[in-house]
Amino acid sequence: MVGAVSEIRPLRTEEALSEAGTGVDDTGGVEQKRTTTVAMDFGRITIRSGLSLYLFGTPGQDRFWFLWDELAQGALGAVVLADTRRLEDCFPAVDYFEHRRIPFVVAVNCFADARRFGANDVSHALDLEQGTPVVLCDARDRDSGKEVLIRLVEYAGRVHTARLLDSVAPQAGPV
């Protein structure tokens, strides 16, 4: 998705799968997969003059979580890119962002050979907190990826505004 929406040439860290990754890179359900991200992808998209989103795409495997901790510092929000052929792989990412109170959307990458599920079905299957957006998309398509980012920015804006209002609201005390 980073490569599809980035306005600059994205930094990509895709490498061909090799025998060395056997037992490390699980290709169950995606046997045709030939490459894997070995670090992170980076791109940028400008919302308006003076306001840009920096995009970091990281692998979901727990061996890369050390990157997540660094990238999550100051993050506006996150996108959990879901593949319905391996939906259970999303649970660690969902837990990560929920526990850190980082607004996120789930972007369901719709593949031709994958069974289709509606946004409500995915939300229920992942046991998402009420209001967490689920967007059906094609992460390879620029317009579809932009729609995911628009939903993320809108949602993160609402979450951050609500938190700000909660922090300045007068607290009722004993009378």
Side-chain angles (χ1 to χ4, degrees):
M1 191 168 97
V2 170
V5 301
S6 181
E7 65 194 20
I8 61 172
R9 190 179 76 170
L11 166 69
R12 296 177 187 235
T13 59
E14 287 286 312
E15 292 294 334
L17 290 172
S18 66
E19 281 190 39
T22 304
V24 176
D25 290 310
D26 177 14
T27 58
V30 289
E31 289 77 13
Q32 71 283 4
K33 182 176 175 150
R34 300 290 174 246
T35 63
T36 190
T37 304
V38 296
M40 69 177 179
D41 295 344
F42 172 77
R44 183 187 72 215
I45 187 167
T46 301
I47 305 295
R48 61 172 166 75
S49 180
L51 179 61
S52 297
L53 293 179
Y54 293 98
L55 310 169
F56 299 90
T58 63
Q61 298 95 334
D62 58 3
R63 68 181 185 270
F64 292 101
W65 283 5
F66 70 94
L67 287 172
W68 292 21
D69 289 335
E70 293 299 319
L71 295 174
Q73 295 294 321
L76 168 72
V79 174
V80 175
L81 191 58
D83 181 343
T84 58
R85 298 169 297 186
R86 300 168 53 147
L87 200 56
E88 67 280 358
D89 291 349
C90 294
F91 283 111
V94 167
D95 289 345
Y96 183 92
F97 296 116
E98 282 182 348
H99 285 106
R100 285 162 181 79
R101 299 184 68 219
I102 297 172
F104 68 96
V105 300
V106 174
V108 180
N109 203 4
C110 299
F111 293 98
D113 62 340
R115 190 167 158 211
R116 300 283 175 144
F117 294 93
N120 289 335
D121 295 326
V122 172
S123 180
H124 181 72
L126 291 175
D127 193 27
L128 297 176
E129 292 178 359
Q130 186 173 354
T132 302
V134 176
V135 184
L136 305 180
C137 72
D138 180 343
R140 302 162 296 184
D141 178 75
R142 182 175 177 82
D143 289 335
S144 187
K146 282 178 159 182
E147 184 61 34
V148 170
L149 294 177
I150 289 167
R151 292 285 301 275
L152 172 62
V153 170
E154 290 172 345
Y155 178 62
R158 288 191 307 270
V159 168
H160 290 297
T161 298
R163 288 179 185 161
L164 180 62
L165 291 173
D166 284 346
S167 72
V168 296
Q171 301 296 321
V175 181

PDB file of all heavy atoms in Angstrom, residues 7 124 137 164 175:
ATOM      1  N   GLU A   7       3.810   9.548  -3.081  1.00  0.00           N
ATOM      2  CA  GLU A   7       4.080  10.509  -4.152  1.00  0.00           C
ATOM      3  C   GLU A   7       5.568  10.575  -4.477  1.00  0.00           C
ATOM      4  O   GLU A   7       5.953  11.152  -5.486  1.00  0.00           O
ATOM      5  CB  GLU A   7       3.572  11.890  -3.754  1.00  0.00           C
ATOM      6  CG  GLU A   7       4.314  12.485  -2.571  1.00  0.00           C
ATOM      7  CD  GLU A   7       3.612  13.679  -1.973  1.00  0.00           C
ATOM      8  OE1 GLU A   7       2.401  13.859  -2.193  1.00  0.00           O
ATOM      9  OE2 GLU A   7       4.289  14.432  -1.267  1.00  0.00           O
ATOM     10  N   HIS A 124     -16.306  -8.159  13.532  1.00  0.00           N
ATOM     11  CA  HIS A 124     -16.736  -9.143  14.531  1.00  0.00           C
ATOM     12  C   HIS A 124     -15.673 -10.226  14.723  1.00  0.00           C
ATOM     13  O   HIS A 124     -15.349 -10.595  15.858  1.00  0.00           O
ATOM     14  CB  HIS A 124     -18.073  -9.751  14.116  1.00  0.00           C
ATOM     15  CG  HIS A 124     -18.609 -10.744  15.084  1.00  0.00           C
ATOM     16  ND1 HIS A 124     -19.127 -10.382  16.308  1.00  0.00           N
ATOM     17  CD2 HIS A 124     -18.662 -12.093  15.028  1.00  0.00           C
ATOM     18  CE1 HIS A 124     -19.486 -11.465  16.958  1.00  0.00           C
ATOM     19  NE2 HIS A 124     -19.219 -12.525  16.208  1.00  0.00           N
ATOM     20  N   CYS A 137     -10.426  -2.924   0.550  1.00  0.00           N
ATOM     21  CA  CYS A 137      -9.548  -2.208  -0.374  1.00  0.00           C
ATOM     22  C   CYS A 137      -8.764  -3.175  -1.252  1.00  0.00           C
ATOM     23  O   CYS A 137      -8.807  -4.389  -1.067  1.00  0.00           O
ATOM     24  CB  CYS A 137      -8.569  -1.333   0.416  1.00  0.00           C
ATOM     25  SG  CYS A 137      -7.276  -2.253   1.277  1.00  0.00           S
ATOM     26  N   LEU A 164      -8.923  15.054  23.663  1.00  0.00           N
ATOM     27  CA  LEU A 164      -8.626  16.413  24.088  1.00  0.00           C
ATOM     28  C   LEU A 164      -9.795  16.998  24.863  1.00  0.00           C
ATOM     29  O   LEU A 164      -9.604  17.603  25.923  1.00  0.00           O
ATOM     30  CB  LEU A 164      -8.293  17.292  22.875  1.00  0.00           C
ATOM     31  CG  LEU A 164      -7.955  18.736  23.162  1.00  0.00           C
ATOM     32  CD1 LEU A 164      -6.696  18.843  24.024  1.00  0.00           C
ATOM     33  CD2 LEU A 164      -7.775  19.506  21.873  1.00  0.00           C
ATOM     34  N   VAL A 175     -19.931  16.889  46.387  1.00  0.00           N
ATOM     35  CA  VAL A 175     -20.622  18.128  46.753  1.00  0.00           C
ATOM     36  C   VAL A 175     -20.739  18.247  48.254  1.00  0.00           C
ATOM     37  O   VAL A 175     -20.901  17.373  48.991  1.00  0.00           O
ATOM     38  CB  VAL A 175     -22.014  18.181  46.119  1.00  0.00           C
ATOM     39  CG1 VAL A 175     -22.706  19.461  46.470  1.00  0.00           C
ATOM     40  CG2 VAL A 175     -21.885  18.020  44.629  1.00  0.00           C
TER      41      VAL A 175
END
